[in-house]
């Protein structure tokens, strides 16, 4: 009787592991499908007629330029010394598709916040050096993976690099806070511009 019950219990104990493996394989399949769809979209864009590529490129360029200017101009009034980061972020985030813009915006802000927070913490706790810099980049990228925003790794590492390696005037806390605010402002402007353009295109029946 006990031996007969041991096997079902063992099987039940294996269920969580099996579920984890199934979940991981499902995530791998989804990631593969997203990559395949991205590749197909790139191929379709390359096959577009020159006239369509011109109109799409001009629209994307105009939208990106508008987002960059709107993000940059108010930074001086907001007390942000390096407003060009807002413009850079707006250009990086602005996409022709609103869904892609939201995804990129999440990555940009998450990367800046994670890299800035970890970089600031390490700077204040240990101080700047090449060893602490290397450890900070590793921790920033690891944190992105742990909170499931691995696509934000690059910006997290870049933000940590700016805090640990770039010379700055004034307290490091101010620089880290300014960087997050600049990125957040650029993200907000880009999302707003793309949302307005998307709504206008839908109302006008324009295929982006």
């Amino acid at each position: 009787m006990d031996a007969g019950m041991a096997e079902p219990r063992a099987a039940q104990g294996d269920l969580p592991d099996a579920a984890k493996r199934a979940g991981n394989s499902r995530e791998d399949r989804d990631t593969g499908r997203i990559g395949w769809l991205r590749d197909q979209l790139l191929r379709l864009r390359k096959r577009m007629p020159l006239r369509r590529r011109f109109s799409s490129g001009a629209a994307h360029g105009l939208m990106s330029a508008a987002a960059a200017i709107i993000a940059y101009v108010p930074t001086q009034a907001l007390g942000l010394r390096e407003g060009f980061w807002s413009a850079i972020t707006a250009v990086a985030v602005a996409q022709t598709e609103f869904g892609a813009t939201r995804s990129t915006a999440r990555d940009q802000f998450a990367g800046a916040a994670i890299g800035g927070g970890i970089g600031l913490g390490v700077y204040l706790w240990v101080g700047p050096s090449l060893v602490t810099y290397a450890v900070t980049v590793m921790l920033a990228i690891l944190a992105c993976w742990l909170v499931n925003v691995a696509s934000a790794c690059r910006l997290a590492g870049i933000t940590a690099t700016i805090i640990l390696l770039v010379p700055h005037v004034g307290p490091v806390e101010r620089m880290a806070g300014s960087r997050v605010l600049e990125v957040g402002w650029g993200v907000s402007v880009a999302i707003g511009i793309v949302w307005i353009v998307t709504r206008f295109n839908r109302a006008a029946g324009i295929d982006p």
Side-chain angles (χ1 to χ4, degrees), residues 11 27 29-30 49 55-56 62 66 73 103-104 122 128 139 145 153 156 163 178 186 188 195 205-206:
E27 291 178 1
R29 287 197 301 270
D30 292 341
S55 61
S56 297
L62 180 62
V73 169
S103 177
T104 307
V122 173
L139 291 176
W145 278 89
C153 287
I163 293 175
S178 296
S188 300
W195 182 82
I206 301 173

Side-chain angles (χ1 to χ4, degrees), residues 85-149:
W85 284 109
S86 296
I88 290 173
T89 302
V91 173
V93 170
Q95 306 287 330
T96 53
E97 295 88 8
F98 186 64
T101 299
R102 286 189 302 177
S103 177
T104 307
R106 180 204 64 183
D107 294 345
Q108 292 284 318
F109 187 76
I114 292 171
I118 293 177
L120 176 61
V122 173
Y123 187 99
L124 295 176
W125 183 35
V126 182
S129 72
L130 287 179
V131 175
T132 55
Y133 163 64
V135 172
T136 301
V137 172
M138 183 192 72
L139 291 176
I141 292 176
L142 175 61
C144 290
W145 278 89
L146 291 177
V147 298
N148 203 24
V149 284

Side-chain angles (χ1 to χ4, degrees), residues 166-184:
V166 176
H168 59 276
V169 178
V172 67
E173 299 94 329
R174 177 182 175 84
M175 183 183 70
S178 296
R179 193 67 63 252
V180 175
L181 286 175
E182 287 154 4
V183 170

